[in-house]
């Protein structure tokens, strides 16, 4: 039976019961035939609103047109003009709120599956060893990029293509930022996808120095004054976890989501051939309702725990992507809505044994526009769990601003930068989560791209087109 043109071509996924017991990727991607069929749903609109919905301005109709014609290599080359991370974004970008929300096809029926098609083209190029990206002649200017997450990778890639000599300094032993330490394998395979896209960056000539904590190993002022860098981009993210400040948070068995996920993803605690310790837990409560909470809960489930998401508002207000909530539910995660912990209770050995919670109701909207949760008096109850994971958000680490002369931050420790990424300090630019606070991969990439243009303009205005050093 042929499908209506209003319906999206469905994509294959691992069965929920099977995938709840493994760390393999959930979504299996389109086949060539399926990708062509879905690409043909794009009507190549003259005004292409989809492009305006993409923070890195990908020429969406052009790459989709190539897929529709079976020209997969050409589609991958179009993507490479605009993005260093197409296979990543095709998987984790909140496309339903970005390019797809404005797709004309979505007015009557399903929007074109832009993200899934982007993933298809990037995966096809990887599987077929297609070389992507070209650089201009070297201009002799040196730029240091701090942090190798999506903001840093994008800024570095854009500058390398323009001929700059770019070095990324990364605190951890692996590059990739949240893409490798935060987002789990079952959503974004590290070795197959992230490492490959970082390899493409290195092919553009970008150098990556890991295990360098800027602010400790070396400072920004030293990079500028002693190491000969003409400009700096800070893309150090927002990795400092926020806790609730309730009694019992210091008990054994309480994790920040960042620590729990880092142990699993970066340090591979889930694999028998690694000896990274993790307390998997039998009954795990994850506090929070964003993507990070879903990732932590689905990881705990795969490690064998009965798992709950505890969230103080209702399902309607969950900040996580709809797709992630759906996957969590079908895999067997349970939800306690309108519930907030007030204390974590321990046993005589100092391990978590339960959380004391109270029920909430929704009042008037707060400054975020969402209805404010209000505790219901006398509604407290105990909930037996042996592990608690706090997924309440993160803020930028104050290390870099506190060791850099003249770098201004706001009250949340976010570096202050304008639209081109220029900070209060000459020659120092910033973008991504370190500026906005915890946001998304594609917004960090958009900021990295704008900052690269800002750095290019700054250096050329100050030093000319080429370095004479
Ligand atoms: P990061 O990715 O945090 O990278 C910053 C890098 O800087 C890190 O590698 C860090 O080690 C390094 N660094 C920090 N300080 C220093 C220093 N002093 N010296 C040297 N290096 C330093 N977004 C989505 O769009 N979709 C999702 O599905 C999604 N899921 C998420 C799931 C989890 C678990 C988390 C934590 C986040 C998720 N996000 C998601 C958010 C997204 O990953 C971030 O918004 C994005 O990674 C921010 O990119 P960034 O480059 O600014 O920072
Ligand atoms: Fe859409 Fe994100 Fe891809 Fe841009 S990067 S086209 S917003 S899925
Ligand atoms: Fe194609 Fe949708 Fe973009 Fe129109 S808005 S060009 S249908 S992807």
């Amino acid at each position: 039976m042929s499908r209506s043109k209003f319906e999206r071509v469905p994509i294959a996924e691992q069965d929920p019961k099977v995938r709840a017991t493994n760390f393999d990727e959930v979504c299996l991607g389109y086949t060539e035939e399926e990708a062509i069929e879905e690409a043909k749903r794009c009507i190549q609109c003259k005004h292409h609103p989809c492009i305006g919905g993409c923070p890195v301005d990908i020429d969406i109709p052009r790459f989709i047109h190539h897929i529709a014609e079976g020209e997969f290599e050409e589609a991958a080359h179009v993507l490479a003009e605009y993005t260093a991370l197409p296979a990543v974004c095709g998987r984790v970008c909140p496309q339903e709120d970005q390019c797809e929300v404005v797709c004309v096809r979505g007015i009557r029926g399903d929007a074109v599956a832009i993200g899934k098609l982007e993933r298809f083209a990037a995966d096809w190029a990887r599987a077929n060893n297609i070389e992507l990206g070209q650089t201009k002649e070297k201009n002799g200017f040196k730029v240091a990029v701090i942090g190798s997450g999506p903001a840093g990778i994008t800024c570095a890639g854009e500058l390398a293509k323009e001929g700059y000599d770019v070095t990324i300094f990364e605190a951890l032993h692996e590059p990739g930022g949240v893409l490798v330490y935060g987002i789990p394998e079952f959503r974004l395979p590290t070795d197959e996808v992230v490492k490959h896209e970082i390899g493409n960056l290195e092919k553009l000539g970008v150098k990556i120095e890991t295990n360098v904590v800027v602010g400790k190993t070396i400072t920004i002022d030293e990079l500028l004054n002693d190491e000969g860098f003409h400009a700096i981009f800070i893309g150090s993210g927002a990795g400092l976890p926020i806790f609730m400040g309730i009694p019992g948070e210091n008990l054994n068995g309480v994790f920040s989501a960042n620590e729990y996920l880092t142990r699993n993803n970066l340090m591979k605690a889930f694999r028998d051939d690694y000896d990274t310790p993790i307390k998997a837990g039998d009954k795990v409560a994850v506090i929070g309702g964003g993507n990070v909470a879903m990732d932590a809960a689905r990881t705990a489930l795969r490690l064998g725990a009965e798992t709950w998401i505890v969230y103080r508002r209702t399902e309607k207000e969950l900040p996580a992507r709809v797709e992630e909530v759906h996957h969590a539910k079908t895999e067997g995660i349970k939800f306690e809505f309108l519930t907030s912990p007030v204390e974590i209770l321990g046993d005589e050995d100092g391990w978590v044994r339960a959380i004391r919670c109270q029920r909430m109701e929704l009042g008037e909207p707060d400054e975020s526009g969402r209805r404010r949760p209000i505790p219901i008096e006398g509604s407290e109850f105990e909930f037996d769990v042996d592990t608690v994971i706090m997924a309440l958000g993160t803020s930028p680490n104050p290390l870099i601003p506190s060791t850099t002369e003249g770098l201004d931050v706001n009250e949340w420790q976010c570096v202050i930068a304008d639209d081109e990424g220029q900070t209060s300090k000459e020659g120092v630019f910033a973008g991504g989560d370190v500026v906005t606070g915890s946001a998304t991969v594609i917004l960090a990439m958009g900021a990295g791209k704008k900052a690269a243009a800002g750095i290019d303009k700054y250096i050329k205005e100050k030093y000319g087109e080429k370095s004479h050093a």
Side-chain angles (χ1 to χ4, degrees), residues 41-45 48-50 60-61 64 102-105 112 114:
R41 293 182 61 240
C42 169
I43 49 178
Q44 297 287 314
C45 325
H48 41 65
C50 49
I60 294 166
I64 291 184
V102 285
C103 171
V104 171
R105 266 281 182 222
V112 174
I114 301 169

Side-chain angles (χ1 to χ4, degrees), residues 337-349:
F337 291 117
L338 290 168
T339 304
S340 184
V342 288
E343 184 177 1
I344 305 171
L345 305 166
D347 62 18
E348 58 279 10
D349 299 321

